């Protein structure tokens, strides 16, 4: 392919966030959109996830993962959107200027007017977590890897018949579902917290399926013999237990995929590991926006699609000259007990721009907290406070402050109050 | 499978493959036998990947001589095979007066023996490496120490040997050996073969192989070394081989860049009863973390890609166990404990010198065929960075392993090579696919699919 192939908008990642962003852009009359994805087909993580529960917040229907992808692709029918798979964003510079490589584009720099980063997230694996023990040829997995193995019909070795799931967030149940579909016996689910991080009833359901749910527990060692997993040595208040198993699935401990951003102009938030944005999804580099799980610990696919949709609308505004293209405003100060909050910046000047009302602040707590509230304050003025009695760790907590009409000089703070 | 050979080399680690390559230069019928499905799958797969000049090996030993020779030859011959070398240099650090005294003596010895070495005072150490932890009194700078690719090295040796007429049998564990009128009959899983001379390069199982022939001059005392691999960002902070001044008992834990662009922390040194016990332990990890905290605290919060352990084929002796029983047609190359990668070409030359003309009056071949293997180093031009290569073969533009940026083309090439990897670990070592931070979250299933397609095609 010769000549300049720079599209008007480059979207990186054809997961829910990227696909929904393209849809929003084309609904706003923006064409010449190129979506690249480094995988061999569009869809992102949901494409390997065959159970229901995808797209709820966006499409208001509990699609299966691939079903949700299909619906997102259907939305793009007739739009001026090209999807180029097997194509990787290598780096991103001010401009924006993107270096990409792929079989049809080759190795080249492209200079779109705007870029939306929607590169998603991955789970920490055994190595990242430095869990001691032996090594195995097969059987020490992450949920994502297990799901891809199953979806791509790669058989697990004959001797692998059972699994232990590490972690108790929602995704752990996805792992259980996939493992069972693959004919594996799930023996136990192990979490270091004092409760199941996902919904309580789901924990009860797991128990009903004969899965031992062990909270306050951690895997101290993976026992292997001749390159095969034989047991997990688990430690808890009860002491140490040896749980025989043929494999382990490490779930959650999310890490945003920012490889292409490292060393570049897009500022990364040390708390989330993803780009810092303001409520218009703008990053620190002009014309570069971000949406979806690359911004934060895992969110549902529907939520990410909504974020993508919002980013698409903001890019359309930027291209029409209604808003600037670079992150603006003051950094939201966050209180001790809060793990992270997105967006990190709040641009008060956007208050006067129509359509900014539905911008939520999404945050997570470091610990479960009872009887306290989350308050968003500008100076001493309370803007909004979360009315929940219990603030649970690893659950999405959302404030919808709408347009904050305060002078931009005033400090915006997220507090945990009585 | 049967056959009659002049020489049978048992063991396809870095030592056995180097010997095979060396012997391929002579008009001899040689076979290299490896028990495992892939070569380099035992001691040679888990090491620090240092190409040592020999400066820190005790003088007057055969080990010193062969490491020194191996280093010189590797620097001369590796580039021709496509193997990368980065002379990043080593800094040996002293925190105590006692360590300083050791380094002062080492400096004198190094100069006397003709090695490059320079004493650095504390200020100079911190000027060069501002990220080092506090309290360093001085260091010994060894500029010739290098890092290499430990996986491609035995592969390149084997490919070279194969190209030059050595037969290679994999998945062929030698189970017993019978003394014949002329040499030995070795029995494997599907038959036997005869060889006038056997070279035992059984590495971590060298004593067991010797026992097949009735010899028991040494016993393997496996010494485990645990490691931690830090992600690429760490190398921007730390790009030198750093180690504490050695004590009489151990060489200490290194922090070194790898040729693949990461930072490696390790190894521990633990004598373990079971040579297959490559476990990483909580205590081992604590030692590694302590080494980081002392030497390079700036690395303390760098993400870990993976943890693993290697096993040194140590024996009750410090010295290499190279035992030529030429009249019996059995040459043992054992106990190549912790310098085998560096010494490999020196050992190979030494072994060839014992066999020829001692046992075989074989002429050196007039011509040898050159081979090259892909350069997997991070600092080389990666295939995807080469515009013309990408254009002529788009498979190099399609990334499969995203963390290490390994393309479909590279995986395809490895699977189509004459010594195609048979296992996922073999494929990883040949391409770097799945070596990165995600350890297969993104690409594990696809890489496995490619490997399975290849094996079902055969
Ligand atoms: C095991 C599991 C189970 C889940 N179960 C549910 C569920 O039941 N319900 C639900 O709603 N959500 C679920 N989720 C969450 C859901 O999958 C995510 O919310 C959603 O996929 C996030 O969408 P995204 O577009 O931000 O990222 P992703 O879906 O991760 O898509 C990112 C895309 O970017 C591409 N990419 C990354 N880097 C580059 C680059 N440098 N160049 C080019 N392309 C790149 C990737 O190939 C990928 O296709 C689950 C997630 C997991 C892991
Ligand atoms: C922690 C650690 C750090 C190290 N660091 C360095 C370093 O930085 N630099 C350096 O130069 N060296 C280093 N070394 C040393 C180096 O790794 C070894 O010296 C070298 O790998 C030994 O190679 P080998 O071929 O003798 O043994 P191995 O690699 O063990 O090879 C022996 C082979 O013989 C095969 N075999 C055994 N029995 C049979 C049988 N019956 N039939 C057929 N095949 C058989 C095995 O399968 C194996 O493949 C380190 C080692 C360790 C463990």
């Amino acid at each position: 392919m010769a000549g300049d192939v720079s599209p008007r908008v480059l979207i990186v990642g054809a997961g829910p966030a990227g696909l929904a962003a393209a849809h929003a852009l084309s609904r706003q009359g923006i064409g010449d959109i190129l979506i690249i994805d480094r995988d061999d087909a569009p869809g992102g993580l949901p494409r390997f996830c065959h159970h229901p529960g995808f797209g709820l917040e966006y499409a208001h229907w509990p699609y299966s993962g691939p079903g949700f992808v299909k619906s997102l692709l259907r939305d793009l029918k007739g739009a001026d959107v090209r999807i180029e798979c097997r194509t990787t964003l290598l780096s991103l510079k001010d401009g924006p200027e993107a270096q990409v490589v792929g079989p049809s584009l080759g190795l080249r720099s492209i200079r779109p007017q705007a870029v939306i980063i929607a590169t998603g997230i991955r789970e920490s694996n055994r190595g990242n977590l430095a869990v001691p023990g032996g090594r195995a040829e097969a059987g020490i997995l992450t949920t994502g890897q297990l799901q891809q193995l199953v979806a791509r019909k790669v058989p697990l070795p004959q001797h692998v018949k059972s699994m232990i799931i590490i972690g108790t967030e929602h995704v752990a149940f996805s792992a259980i579902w996939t493992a069972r579909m693959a004919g594996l016996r799930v023996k136990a689910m192990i979490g270091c917290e004092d409760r199941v991080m996902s919904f309580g009833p789901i924990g009860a359901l797991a128990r009903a399926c004969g899965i031992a749910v062990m909270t306050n527990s951690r895997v101290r060692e993976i026992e292997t013999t001749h390159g095969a997993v034989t047991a997990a040595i688990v430690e808890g208040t009860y002491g140490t237990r040896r749980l025989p198993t043929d494999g382990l699935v490490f779930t959650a401990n999310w890490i945003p995929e920012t490889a292409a951003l490292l060393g570049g102009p897009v500022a990364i938030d040390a708390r989330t590991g993803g780009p810092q944005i303001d409520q218009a999804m703008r990053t620190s580099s002009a014309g570069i926006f971000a949406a979806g799980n690359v911004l934060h610990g895992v969110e549902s696919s529907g939520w990410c699609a909504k974020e993508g949709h919002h980013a698409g609308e903001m890019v359309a505004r930027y291209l029409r000259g209604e808003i600037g293209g670079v992150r603006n405003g003051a950094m939201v100060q966050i209180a001790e007990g809060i793990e992270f909050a997105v967006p990190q910046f709040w641009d008060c000047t956007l208050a006067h721009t129509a359509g900014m009302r539905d911008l939520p602040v999404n945050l997570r707590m470091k610990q479960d907290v009872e009887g306290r509230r989350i308050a968003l304050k500008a100076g001493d003025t309370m803007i909004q406070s979360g009315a929940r009695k219990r603030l649970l760790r690893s659950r999405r907590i959302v404030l919808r402050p709408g347009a904050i009409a305060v002078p931009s000089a005033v400090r915006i703070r997220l507090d945990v109050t009585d | 499978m049967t056959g009659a050979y002049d020489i049978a080399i048992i063991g396809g680690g870095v030592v056995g493959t180097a010997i095979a390559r060396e012997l391929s230069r002579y008009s001899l019928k040689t076979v290299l036998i490896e028990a495992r499905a892939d070569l380099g799958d035992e001691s040679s797969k888990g090491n620090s990947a240092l190409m040592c000049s020999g400066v820190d090996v005790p003088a007057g030993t055969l080990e010193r001589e062969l490491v020194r020779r191996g280093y010189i030859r590797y620097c001369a011959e590796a580039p021709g095979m496509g193997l990368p070398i980065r002379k990043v240099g080593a800094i040996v650090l002293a925190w105590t007066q006692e360590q300083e005294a050791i380094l002062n003596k080492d400096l004198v010895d190094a100069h006397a023996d003709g090695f490059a070495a320079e004493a650095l005072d504390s200020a100079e150490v911190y000027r060069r490496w501002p990220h080092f932890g506090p309290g360093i009194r001085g260091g010994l700078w060894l500029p010739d120490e290098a890092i290499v690719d430990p996986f491609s090295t035995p592969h390149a040796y084997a490919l070279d040997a194969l190209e030059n007429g050595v037969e290679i049998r994999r998945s062929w564990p030698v189970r017993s050996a019978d003394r014949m009128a002329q040499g030995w009959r070795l029995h494997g899983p599907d038959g036997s073969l005869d060889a006038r001379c056997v070279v035992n390069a059984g590495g971590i199982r060298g004593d067991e192989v010797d026992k097949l022939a009735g010899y028991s001059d040494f016993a393997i005392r496996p010494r485990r070394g645990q490691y931690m691999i830090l992600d690429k960002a760490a190398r921007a902070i730390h790009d030198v081989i750093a180690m504490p001044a050695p004590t009489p008992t151990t060489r200490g834990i290194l922090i070194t860049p790898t040729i693949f662009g990461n930072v490696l922390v390790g190894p521990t040194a633990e004598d373990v009863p079971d040579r297959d016990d490559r476990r990483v332990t909580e205590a081992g990890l604590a030692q590694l973390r302590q080494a980081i905290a002392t030497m390079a605290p700036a690395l303390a919060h760098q993400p870990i890609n993976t943890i693993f352990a290697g096993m040194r084929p140590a024996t009750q002796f410090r010295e290499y166990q190279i035992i030529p029983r030429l009249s019996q047609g059995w040459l043992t190359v054992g106990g190549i404990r912790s310098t085998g990668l560096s010494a490999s070409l020196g050992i190979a030359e030494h072994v060839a010198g014992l066999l020829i003309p001692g046992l075989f009056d074989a002429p050196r071949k007039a011509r040898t065929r050159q081979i090259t293997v892909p350069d997997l180093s991070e600092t080389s031009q990666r295939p995807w960075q080469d515009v013309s290569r990408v254009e002529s073969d788009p498979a190099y533009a399609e990334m499969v392993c995203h963390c290490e940026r390994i393309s479909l083309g590279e995986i395809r090439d490895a699977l189509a090579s004459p010594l195609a990897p048979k296992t996922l670990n073999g494929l990883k070592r040949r391409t770097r696919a799945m070596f990165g931070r995600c350890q297969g979250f993104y690409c594990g299933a696809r890489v496995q699919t490619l490997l399975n397609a290849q094996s079902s095609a055969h």
Side-chain angles (χ1 to χ4, degrees):
Chain A
M1 193 184 285
D4 187 19
V5 294
S6 294
R8 188 149 187 226
V9 181
L10 172 69
I11 298 174
V12 188
L19 294 176
H23 181 51
L25 276 162
S26 56
R27 286 223 329 206
Q28 296 281 325
I30 307 282
D32 191 14
I33 300 162
L34 172 65
I35 310 179
I36 60 168
D37 196 293
R38 63 191 190 181
D39 213 338
D40 54 357
L45 283 179
R47 128 179 131 89
F48 304 110
C49 216
H50 284 266
H51 60 75
F54 285 82
L56 272 178
E57 299 93 330
Y58 182 76
H60 311 290
W61 184 260
Y63 283 109
S64 73
F68 185 39
V69 173
K70 250 188 222 149
S71 102
L72 288 165
L73 289 171
R74 221 181 296 124
D75 288 344
L76 295 179
K77 276 238 170 76
D80 184 11
V81 175
R82 191 156 66 100
I83 303 181
E84 205 61 84
C85 286
R86 305 168 194 268
T87 303
T88 303
L89 174 75
L90 297 163
S91 64
L92 202 50
K93 288 195 284 198
D94 283 329
E97 184 182 336
Q99 195 194 23
V100 302
V101 67
S104 61
L105 294 178
L107 173 67
R108 66 173 70 230
S109 277
I110 53 182
R111 294 176 143 277
Q113 287 170 16
V115 174
I116 300 175
I117 303 161
T119 49
I121 206 165
R122 67 180 163 88
E123 295 165 288
S124 297
N125 53 59
R126 178 269 180 100
N128 302 147
L129 300 165
V131 177
R135 284 188 53 113
E137 298 257 333
I140 304 181
L141 300 164
T142 47
T143 318
Q145 192 177 358
L146 173 68
Q147 287 183 336
Q148 272 208 46
L149 286 168
V150 173
R152 289 182 188 274
K153 302 194 167 55
V154 181
L156 285 165
Q158 287 281 310
H159 69 267
V160 179
K161 295 199 170 72
S162 60
M163 282 285 158
I164 284 179
I165 311 290
I166 318 298
T168 62
E169 284 186 27
H170 298 330
V171 61
F173 294 92
S174 185
I176 291 178
W177 192 90
T178 309
R180 287 171 72 107
M181 291 311 282
L184 298 166
R185 202 179 137 221
V186 177
K187 293 189 154 176
M189 175 174 205
I190 295 165
C192 53
E193 297 87 357
D194 60 0
R195 64 170 172 90
V196 168
M197 301 307 281
S198 183
F199 308 120
I202 299 191
L205 190 69
R207 283 194 186 91
C209 294
I211 299 168
V213 178
M214 301 167 73
T215 51
N216 282 319
S217 298
R218 78 182 177 110
V219 178
R220 216 180 73 180
E221 188 182 329
I222 300 173
E223 183 192 284
T224 62
T225 313
H226 303 303
V229 177
T230 45
I233 312 298
V234 179
E235 195 178 56
T237 43
Y238 41 79
T240 301
R241 265 190 216 159
R242 178 179 178 277
L243 305 181
T245 183
D246 307 326
L248 298 101
V249 184
F250 287 86
T251 73
N253 289 300
W254 304 96
I255 306 172
E257 178 53 29
T258 56
L261 306 182
L262 298 181
V266 174
I268 301 290
D269 180 359
R271 289 193 175 90
T272 59
Q276 291 178 332
I277 54 158
D278 67 7
Q279 77 274 39
M281 319 304 273
R282 299 175 295 193
T283 70
S284 57
S285 179
I288 302 179
F289 294 67
N293 273 338
V294 72
L295 293 176
H296 40 60
V298 81
E299 271 298 352
S300 67
S301 55
W303 179 276
C304 290
K306 275 180 91 168
E307 276 183 359
H309 191 88
H310 182 59
E313 288 188 339
M314 292 302 113
V315 169
R317 281 169 182 269
Y318 164 59
L319 294 177
R320 288 196 298 262
E322 293 169 21
I323 60 172
V326 69
R327 182 192 73 197
N328 194 17
M331 193 161 183
V332 178
Q333 313 280 312
I334 70 176
E336 251 302 290
I338 297 173
E339 188 190 348
F340 66 73
V342 176
Q344 291 84 351
F345 285 77
W346 199 272
D347 180 0
C348 294
T349 64
L350 286 179
H352 311 294
T353 314
M356 285 298 188
R357 269 178 305 280
D358 53 345
L359 280 169
V361 176
N362 181 353
L363 59 94
R364 301 286 161 91
M365 301 301 293
K366 285 184 185 157
Q367 305 291 336
D368 294 354
V369 175
E370 299 264 351
R372 322 238 10 221
R373 323 162 129 259
I374 293 288
L376 185 69
K377 294 180 189 160
D380 292 330
T381 318
M382 174 76 79
I383 302 216
Q384 221 222 347
S385 76
R388 263 174 249 141
K389 283 204 204 95
R390 295 183 74 199
L391 300 167
L392 294 182
R393 203 197 126 183
S394 97
R395 290 285 173 75
R396 175 202 310 157
I397 298 166
V398 176
L399 296 181
R400 296 181 189 278
I404 309 178
V406 291
S408 26
V410 166
R411 258 180 13 140
I412 311 259
R413 252 192 89 72
L414 266 173
D415 258 334
V416 186
T417 65
D418 294 326
Chain B
M1 247 193 225
T2 54
Y5 302 88
D6 293 318
I7 298 174
I9 304 160
I10 303 178
V14 73
V15 171
T17 55
I19 295 170
R21 174 177 181 266
E22 193 75 23
L23 294 178
S24 75
R25 301 323 194 231
Y26 298 88
S27 300
L28 288 168
K29 199 163 177 240
T30 305
V31 62
L32 173 69
I33 304 166
E34 170 52 50
R36 304 187 58 93
D38 283 310
L39 300 169
D41 203 24
E42 288 274 19
S43 285
S44 303
K45 78 178 166 190
N47 59 42
S48 309
L50 305 188
M51 183 48 55
C52 312
S53 66
V55 60
D56 56 355
V57 179
T61 60
L62 180 64
E63 181 178 10
R64 159 69 83 87
E65 192 188 311
L66 298 186
V67 169
R68 203 163 185 178
R69 181 68 189 139
Y71 174 89
I72 292 169
R73 282 195 65 189
Y74 197 90
C75 291
E77 296 170 39
M81 292 184 268
L83 294 169
I85 310 174
R86 276 189 73 216
K87 261 188 210 176
V88 292
I91 178 72
V92 192
L93 298 166
W95 281 267
T96 63
Q97 242 168 357
E98 189 193 355
Q99 284 174 314
E100 261 187 313
I102 293 174
L103 292 190
N104 286 337
K105 182 176 174 306
D106 286 351
L107 176 71
V108 174
D109 290 349
H111 285 162
D113 295 343
F115 290 101
E118 186 190 342
L120 304 183
D121 64 16
S122 174
E124 181 60 17
V125 169
Y126 287 113
R127 194 188 65 76
R128 294 196 195 181
W129 303 284
H131 68 284
F132 280 178
I136 294 169
R137 299 170 67 102
L140 183 63
W141 171 236
L142 305 170
D144 288 339
E145 304 309 288
I147 55 173
V148 297
D149 177 345
F151 309 118
S152 297
T153 297
H155 169 61
Y157 293 167
L159 193 63
D160 187 326
L162 186 73
E163 268 297 301
N164 288 292
V166 173
E167 206 178 293
I168 297 180
R169 291 191 186 182
R170 290 183 280 169
S171 301
W172 215 84
V174 177
R175 293 188 175 138
S176 60
D178 295 330
R179 187 73 196 270
M180 309 292 284
Q182 278 241 314
W184 296 85
R185 175 164 293 167
L186 304 178
H187 301 280
D190 61 352
S192 60
L193 60 82
D194 293 345
R196 279 178 60 203
C197 179
V198 170
V199 176
N200 168 11
I204 193 68
R205 292 178 215 288
D207 55 347
E208 290 175 349
V209 174
D210 257 13
K211 257 190 214 129
L212 300 179
Y215 306 116
S216 50
D217 302 68
F218 63 86
I220 293 290
R221 303 256 173 92
R223 188 170 304 154
R224 183 169 64 195
Q226 303 184 32
Y227 290 101
M228 198 182 256
I229 299 247
L230 306 181
D231 202 358
K232 301 266 185 290
R235 192 175 66 100
I237 303 172
H238 183 96
D239 200 17
V240 65
I241 304 163
M243 58 183 130
T247 67
T249 49
T250 153
R251 197 170 160 198
I253 290 168
L254 322 155
I255 304 183
T256 168
T258 71
I259 202 84
F260 311 121
N262 297 75
V263 168
L264 182 74
V265 186
T268 59
E270 310 147 68
D271 291 318
V272 292
D274 174 3
R275 64 188 90 202
D276 294 315
D277 181 3
R278 290 196 184 85
R279 261 183 311 168
V280 173
T281 63
E282 212 133 359
L285 290 174
Q287 275 189 50
L288 302 183
R289 291 202 174 96
Q290 184 56 50
I292 293 176
T294 315
M295 271 192 283
L299 298 178
H301 298 292
Q302 289 299 314
I304 302 170
N305 280 3
T306 191
I307 53 175
F308 67 95
M311 200 61 83
R312 302 174 187 86
T315 70
Q316 65 268 51
F317 308 107
R318 277 193 71 93
E319 178 64 289
Y320 285 177
Q321 296 301 297
I322 300 187
I323 311 168
R325 301 179 193 85
L326 294 187
S327 61
Q328 294 155 57
W330 189 279
L331 196 161
T332 301
V333 187
I336 314 296
R337 184 187 36 161
S338 52
T339 47
L341 174 62
S342 310
S344 53
L345 294 179
I347 296 171
E349 190 176 274
H350 179 71
V351 166
L354 292 171
L355 292 172
I356 307 157
L359 198 56
F360 297 96
D361 193 14
R364 214 180 151 90
K365 290 180 193 166
R367 288 164 53 102
T368 52
R369 291 153 71 119
Q370 273 279 322
I371 57 100
T372 54
V373 296
D375 180 346
L376 300 185
S377 65
E378 185 71 0
T379 45
S380 67
Q381 186 183 46
R382 310 296 306 131
W384 61 264
Q385 290 172 317
D386 184 341
V387 177
S388 63
R389 197 159 171 199
V390 159
E391 239 151 55
S392 61
D393 188 347
Y396 295 116
E398 179 173 349
M399 296 303 139
V400 173
C401 164
H402 302 294
C403 303
E404 299 292 299
R405 290 187 176 152
I406 307 303
S407 64
L408 185 63
E410 290 157 87
I411 295 172
R412 175 204 61 196
D413 294 352
L415 289 170
S417 79
L419 279 172
K422 296 272 203 289
T423 63
L424 194 59
N425 285 328
L427 180 57
K428 286 190 203 173
R429 289 199 293 270
R430 289 279 290 281
T431 58
R432 270 172 69 179
M434 294 176 74
F435 259 32
R437 58 188 76 91
C438 94
Q439 297 278 303
F441 176 90
Y442 291 117
C443 70
R446 249 191 115 188
V447 173
Q448 184 81 56
T449 307
L450 294 167
L451 178 70
N452 292 356
Q454 180 69 16
S455 19
S456 61
H458 284 271

